[in-house]
C-alpha cells in the first residue's frame, strides 16, 4: 500500500512548533532564569512535552512519560534526545519560572498579531470595532484551598476547593488574550481595570463586576471609552432624560445623563458624569427584556453602544473554547508555579491552533480542528494540505479503482 498523498517528513506537533523558534525560546528562558542549573531538559524540551500533554489531554505525569516513551523516535525528530522521567518533569514544573512561558506566549502573540486580526470578516466591520478591548475573568477550580483561595464560605461537609482566576484582556477582532494575569479566585474582578495600561481612543467593553467610579473618572480624563452593564443598586442623580418611541407609542430606547458621587476620606469627592442607555433587548423575541448600559460616551449613537457591549461575548466564546478543548481538570504539579505553567501552555496551544485555523482557507470549527489535530498529532501528515482537502486520499484511491481494468475470468 502506498503512502498517503498528505505524507510529510515531520509530525503535526513539529509543524505546530514551526510557529516558534527554538533559539528564541532558549533565549527567553535564559533571560528569565529558566536555564539555571539545567543540563539537558531545557525550555524547548519542556515546552514541547507540555504542549504534547495539553493537546492530548493527558491527566497525569505518568501518562505523559508513558506516552513519550512510545513516541521517542518521533520526539527525537523534534530535538528531544533524552526523554524526561516523571521526577524530571515534576522538578521542571516546580522550578522553571512560570514567567518564562508567559514571555513565550507574549512573544508568539505579538509576532503573529497582524495575522490574527487579518480575518476577511474584518473588512466588513467598522473601524471603531477594531479598537474594542474586552476584559473579563474565568475561574479554574483547583484541588486545594491552600495555594489559591477559593471564593465563598467553607462548606459544612468536605473541604473547600481553591481556585485560580485568569484575568484576561482581548481585542474584539483577534479572539485570543493579549494580556493575562493570575490571582486567587477570591480576588475581585476590578483588579484588572487598570487605566494606566490603556491609551486615548481605546474602547473598553466589560461586565458590571468592574464598576468603579474612581477608575471610570480616570478613564474619562484619559480619553478612554467604556461600556458596561448597569447594576440595579447604583445611586445617582439624573441630569436629563430622553425617551425615544416608535410610531406605535412604545419605547425603543431611553437615554439618561447622570452624575455619580463617591465620598473619599481625606480628599475631594469623586464626581463622574455618565450616560445610561435603556433599550428593549430582542435577542429572544419570545422573552424581550429591558437592558441598561452605562457608558462615558455621551455622543455616539445608541446602536453603536449596544454593539460595543455585545462584542463582549467574544471573550465568553474564548473561555468556552478553552474549557471545551483543553479542560483543566487535572494538573501536573501541586505548586502555584506548576499550575500557572500548565495554564500558560494551554493558552499557547490555543494560540497555535488559532494560527493554524487562520492559515487554512477551508472552513473548520475550532473544536473540529482541535479534534483532528489531537487524533493525528504524531502522524507524518502535512496538516495544512490535509485540512484544505481531507478527502484527497479517498478520491485518488477511488479514481485508481475506477481506472483499473477488470480482471479476466479464468476458464
Amino acid at each position: 500500500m502506498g503512502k498517503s498523498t498528505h505524507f510529510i517528513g515531520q509530525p503535526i506537533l513539529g509543524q505546530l512548533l514551526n510557529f516558534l523558534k527554538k533559539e528564541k525560546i532558549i533565549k527567553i528562558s535564559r533571560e528569565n532564569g529558566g536555564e539555571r542549573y539545567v543540563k539537558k531538559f531545557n525550555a524547548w524540551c519542556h515546552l514541547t512535552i507540555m504542549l504534547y500533554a495539553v493537546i492530548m489531554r493527558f491527566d497525569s505525569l505518568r501518562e505523559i512519560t508513558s506516552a513519550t516513551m512510545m513516541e521517542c523516535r518521533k520526539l527525537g525528530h523534534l530535538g528531544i534526545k533524552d526523554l524526561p522521567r516523571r521526577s524530571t518533569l515534576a522538578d521542571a514544573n516546580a522550578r522553571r519560572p512560570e514567567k518564562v512561558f508567559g514571555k513565550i506566549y507574549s512573544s508568539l502573540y505579538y509576532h503573529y498579531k497582524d495575522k490574527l486580526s487579518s480575518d476577511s470578516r474584518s473588512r466588513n466591520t467598522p473601524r471603531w470595532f477594531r479598537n474594542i478591548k474586552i476584559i473579563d475573568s474565568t475561574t479554574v477550580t483547583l484541588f486545594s484551598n491552600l495555594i489559591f483561595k477559593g471564593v465563598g464560605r467553607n462548606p459544612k461537609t468536605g473541604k473547600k476547593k481553591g481556585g485560580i482566576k485568569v484575568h484576561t484582556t482581548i481585542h474584539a477582532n483577534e479572539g485570543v488574550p493579549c494580556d493575562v494575569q493570575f490571582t486567587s479566585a477570591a480576588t475581585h474582578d476590578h483588579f484588572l481595570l487598570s487605566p494606566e495600561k490603556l491609551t486615548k481612543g481605546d474602547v473598553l467593553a466589560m461586565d458590571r463586576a468592574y464598576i468603579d467610579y474612581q477608575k471610570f473618572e480616570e478613564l474619562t480624563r484619559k480619553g478612554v471609552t467604556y461600556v458596561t452593564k448597569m447594576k440595579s443598586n447604583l445611586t445617582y442623580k439624573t441630569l436629563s432624560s430622553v425617551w425615544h418611541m416608535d410610531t406605535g407609542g412604545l419605547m425603543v430606547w431611553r437615554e439618561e445623563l447622570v452624575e455619580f458621587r463617591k465620598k473619599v476620606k481625606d480628599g475631594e469627592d469623586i464626581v463622574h458624569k455618565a450616560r445610561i442607555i435603556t433599550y428593549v433587548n430582542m435577542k429572544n423575541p419570545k422573552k424581550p427584556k429591558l437592558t441598561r448600559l452605562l457608558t462615558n460616551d455621551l455622543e455616539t449613537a445608541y446602536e453603536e453602544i449596544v454593539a460595543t457591549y455585545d462584542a463582549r461575548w467574544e471573550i465568553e466564546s474564548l473561555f468556552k473554547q478553552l474549557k471545551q478543548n483543553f479542560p483543566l481538570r487535572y494538573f501536573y504539579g501541586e505548586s502555584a508555579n506548576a499550575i500557572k505553567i500548565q495554564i500558560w501552555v494551554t493558552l499557547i496551544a490555543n494560540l497555535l491552533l488559532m494560527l493554524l485555523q487562520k492559515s487554512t482557507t477551508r472552513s473548520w470549527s475550532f473544536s473540529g480542528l482541535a479534534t483532528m489535530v489531537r487524533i493525528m498529532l504524531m502522524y507524518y501528515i502535512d496538516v495544512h494540505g490535509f485540512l484544505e482537502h481531507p478527502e484527497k486520499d479517498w478520491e485518488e484511491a477511488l479514481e485508481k479503482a475506477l481506472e483499473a481494468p477488470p480482471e479476466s475470468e479464468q476458464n
Side-chain angles (χ1 to χ4, degrees):
M1 184 176 177
K3 291 181 179 178
S4 165
T5 56
H6 298 297
F7 179 80
I8 195 173
Q10 192 179 38
I12 289 180
L13 177 59
Q15 296 169 62
L16 288 177
L17 290 171
N18 286 338
F19 285 109
L20 300 161
K21 300 296 181 185
K22 182 177 180 179
E23 298 77 13
K24 192 168 186 178
I25 301 302
I26 300 297
K27 181 181 178 183
I28 290 173
S29 180
R30 189 175 291 114
E31 290 174 348
N32 292 275
E35 298 304 303
R36 195 172 299 164
Y37 309 120
V38 172
K39 294 181 180 179
K40 296 180 180 179
F41 198 57
N42 58 31
W44 175 258
C45 297
H46 193 180
L47 177 61
T48 301
I49 296 297
M50 288 294 289
L51 278 172
Y52 175 53
V54 165
I55 295 175
M56 295 297 292
R57 296 186 178 186
F58 291 143
D59 295 339
S60 65
L61 293 176
R62 185 183 295 277
E63 282 192 28
I64 298 172
T65 52
S66 299
T68 53
M69 287 177 64
M70 293 186 290
E71 302 288 2
C72 59
R73 294 181 64 185
K74 297 177 182 178
L75 290 171
H77 295 166
L78 305 179
I80 301 177
K81 304 301 181 184
D82 299 289
L83 295 180
R85 298 176 180 271
R86 276 188 295 163
S87 58
T88 303
L89 186 54
D91 288 343
N93 283 336
R95 295 179 181 178
R96 181 165 281 121
E98 54 86 15
K99 65 179 179 180
V100 170
F101 295 87
K103 296 287 185 181
I104 292 171
Y105 177 85
S106 296
S107 175
L108 184 65
Y109 165 77
Y110 283 108
H111 184 76
Y112 292 103
K113 187 176 186 298
D114 293 338
K115 187 173 183 178
L116 290 166
S117 59
S118 63
D119 192 342
S120 59
R121 293 174 298 175
S122 64
R123 302 192 201 111
N124 301 321
T125 57
R127 185 173 297 276
W128 57 266
F129 182 82
R130 306 173 198 179
N131 296 330
I132 296 177
K133 287 184 177 180
I134 309 165
I135 61 173
D136 205 347
S137 67
T138 186
T139 300
V140 178
T141 304
L142 300 178
F143 43 83
S144 171
N145 195 43
L146 299 177
I147 303 173
F148 294 101
K149 297 293 182 182
V151 67
R153 298 179 179 179
N154 292 321
K156 293 182 180 179
T157 57
K159 293 182 179 180
K160 180 179 177 180
K161 291 187 176 181
I164 181 170
K165 188 171 283 189
V166 185
H167 301 270
T168 309
T169 304
I170 72 170
H171 290 275
N173 64 330
E174 292 176 356
V176 298
C178 61
D179 182 38
V180 177
Q181 297 183 57
F182 302 119
T183 65
S184 67
T187 304
H188 197 277
D189 281 347
H190 72 252
F191 158 83
L192 190 63
L193 186 56
S194 305
E196 64 275 7
K197 292 185 178 182
L198 300 167
T199 58
K200 185 178 181 180
D202 284 342
V203 180
L204 199 60
M206 53 194 169
D207 201 3
R208 54 190 170 190
Y210 295 91
I211 291 180
D212 185 316
Y213 302 148
Q214 184 173 357
K215 291 186 177 180
F216 281 179
E217 185 61 22
E218 291 179 33
L219 292 174
T220 303
R221 292 176 181 177
K222 202 168 185 178
V224 177
T225 300
Y226 70 81
V227 179
T228 186
K229 201 171 185 179
M230 274 287 288
K231 285 183 177 179
S232 58
N233 61 346
L234 297 182
T235 57
Y236 54 86
K237 177 182 178 182
T238 303
L239 304 179
S240 65
S241 178
V242 179
W243 294 69
H244 298 265
M245 321 293 285
D246 61 14
T247 54
L250 299 176
M251 186 195 82
V252 178
W253 63 287
R254 179 188 178 189
E255 178 183 26
E256 298 173 86
L257 182 62
V258 299
E259 182 180 89
F260 295 94
R261 286 184 174 270
K262 180 180 180 180
K263 293 184 178 181
V264 180
K265 292 182 178 179
D266 303 325
E268 294 184 3
D269 291 353
I270 296 171
V271 179
H272 178 65
K273 289 186 178 181
R275 178 185 180 198
I276 298 175
I277 292 177
T278 306
Y279 67 100
V280 182
N281 191 333
M282 296 297 293
K283 285 187 177 180
N284 186 352
K286 295 182 180 179
K287 295 182 179 180
K289 61 179 182 180
L290 289 179
T291 300
R292 305 181 75 200
L293 302 180
L294 177 66
T295 179
N296 61 345
D297 189 332
L298 308 181
E299 298 178 356
T300 302
Y302 101 95
E303 294 91 349
E304 193 171 308
I305 300 297
V306 173
T308 300
Y309 183 75
D310 286 344
R312 196 190 69 82
W313 293 104
E314 290 289 330
I315 201 167
E316 299 294 348
S317 298
L318 170 65
F319 293 151
K320 182 179 179 181
Q321 175 176 299
L322 287 169
K323 291 184 176 181
Q324 283 184 340
N325 296 283
F326 309 100
L328 289 163
R329 293 194 298 267
Y330 302 97
F331 291 88
Y332 309 142
E334 297 183 355
S335 65
N337 193 72
I339 293 168
K340 290 179 181 180
I341 285 177
Q342 190 168 337
I343 296 175
W344 277 123
V345 174
T346 298
L347 293 173
I348 292 170
N350 179 74
L351 179 51
L352 291 174
L353 293 184
M354 285 286 287
L355 289 170
L356 182 60
Q357 185 184 37
K358 293 281 186 179
S359 62
T360 305
T361 56
R362 181 168 177 150
S363 179
W364 282 85
S365 69
F366 185 89
S367 295
L369 183 142
T371 300
M372 296 305 297
V373 169
R374 183 178 304 112
I375 293 171
M376 304 186 300
L377 188 61
M378 301 308 290
Y379 288 11
Y380 288 91
I381 290 178
D382 177 12
V383 65
H384 290 96
F386 176 82
L387 293 175
E388 293 290 2
H389 199 167
E391 305 89 355
K392 191 173 181 180
D393 285 337
W394 170 253
E395 290 175 355
E396 290 195 1
L398 185 61
E399 185 178 350
K400 289 180 180 179
L402 292 174
E403 290 177 355
E407 297 181 1
S408 60
E409 296 182 359
Q410 296 181 354
N411 296 327

